[in-house]
């Protein structure tokens, strides 16, 4: 298993090995998921190691529920609701934080043992961009088709349309996706 993700994250090989040693010392089970080492407790994912261009990270699946006493957890993007990362740029950072990392890992295990759940926003809590709401009001068939989509597909469209900074870009995205919505398909179907 080591070879697969070490090739994928070859820039971060030493950092990944260091993180792996720390996590395994916390008695979690290692598996390969999403192409990266993932660690679980009683078949519940606790933490994942992964590499990016600028950093490698230890990602806590329910990081939003952890007490971030050291202020080191990062929300990857504004739309990530549960997971939180601790980012690293070199092995020394990992070595210095080892006791803290273990404390966070053990806390994450306790969160899982307690059965705590992250409260996720419902699809209706994500705003509909003004330009899209206008199209829905003008076109009852589009509105019905959109409302017939699964909540996840609705959310994906809302986020995609909202991500555009300019109204003109939002309008263009909406126009291009109308046939997809009318055919009952999600953004990436």
């Amino acid at each position: 298993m080591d070879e697969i993700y070490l090739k994928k994250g070859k820039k971060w090989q030493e950092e990944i090995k260091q993180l792996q040693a720390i996590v395994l010392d916390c008695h979690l089970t290692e598996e390969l998921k999403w192409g990266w080492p993932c660690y679980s407790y009683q078949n519940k994912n606790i933490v994942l190691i992964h590499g990016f261009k600028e950093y490698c990270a230890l990602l806590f699946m329910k990081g939003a529920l952890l007490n971030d006493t050291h202020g080191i957890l990062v929300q990857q993007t504004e739309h990530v609701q549960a997971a939180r990362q601790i980012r690293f740029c070199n092995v020394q950072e990992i070595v210095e934080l080892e006791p803290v990392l273990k404390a966070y890992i053990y806390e994450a295990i306790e969160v899982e043992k307690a059965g705590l759940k992250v409260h996720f926003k419902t699809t209706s809590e994500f705003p509909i961009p003004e330009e899209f709401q206008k199209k829905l009001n003008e076109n009852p068939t589009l509105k019905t088709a959109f409302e017939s989509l699964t909540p996840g597909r609705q959310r994906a469209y809302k986020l995609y349309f909202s991500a555009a900074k300019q109204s003109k870009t939002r309008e263009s995205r909406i126009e291009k996706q109308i046939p997809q919505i009318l055919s009952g398909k999600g953004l990436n179907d």
Side-chain angles (χ1 to χ4, degrees), residues 19-20 32 38 48 53-54 67 71-72 84 105 107 113 117 129 136 151 154 163 165 173 188:
L19 288 169
Q20 180 185 37
L32 190 64
C38 183
L48 177 89
K53 190 182 289 186
E54 302 296 325
N67 296 313
I72 56 176
R84 297 292 183 271
I105 293 166
E107 182 184 354
K113 283 181 183 178
K117 305 273 184 215
L136 295 174
Q154 289 179 23
K165 291 181 174 60
R173 287 182 178 189
N188 300 310

Side-chain angles (χ1 to χ4, degrees), residues 34-49:
W34 307 287
W36 294 100
C38 183
Y39 302 88
S40 61
Y41 172 80
Q42 295 183 347
N43 296 317
K44 302 285 186 180
N45 295 335
I46 303 294
V47 69
L48 177 89
I49 298 171

Side-chain angles (χ1 to χ4, degrees), residues 123-165:
T123 297
S124 61
E125 291 177 84
F126 289 93
I128 295 178
E130 183 180 318
E131 298 84 355
F132 187 48
Q133 187 62 59
K134 182 179 174 189
K135 287 286 183 190
L136 295 174
N137 293 344
E138 293 171 356
N139 185 340
T141 305
L142 177 63
K143 183 176 183 181
T144 301
F146 182 72
E147 290 172 350
S148 297
L149 294 173
T150 63
R153 287 182 170 131
Q154 289 179 23
R155 186 172 46 252
Y157 280 119
K158 287 179 177 183
L159 294 175
Y160 176 65
F161 298 153
S162 296
K165 291 181 174 60

Side-chain angles (χ1 to χ4, degrees), residues 74-87:
V74 176
Q75 185 176 357
Q76 193 171 356
T77 69
E78 66 181 291
H79 301 299
V80 173
Q81 296 183 58
R84 297 292 183 271
Q85 300 175 328
I86 301 175
R87 297 176 177 177

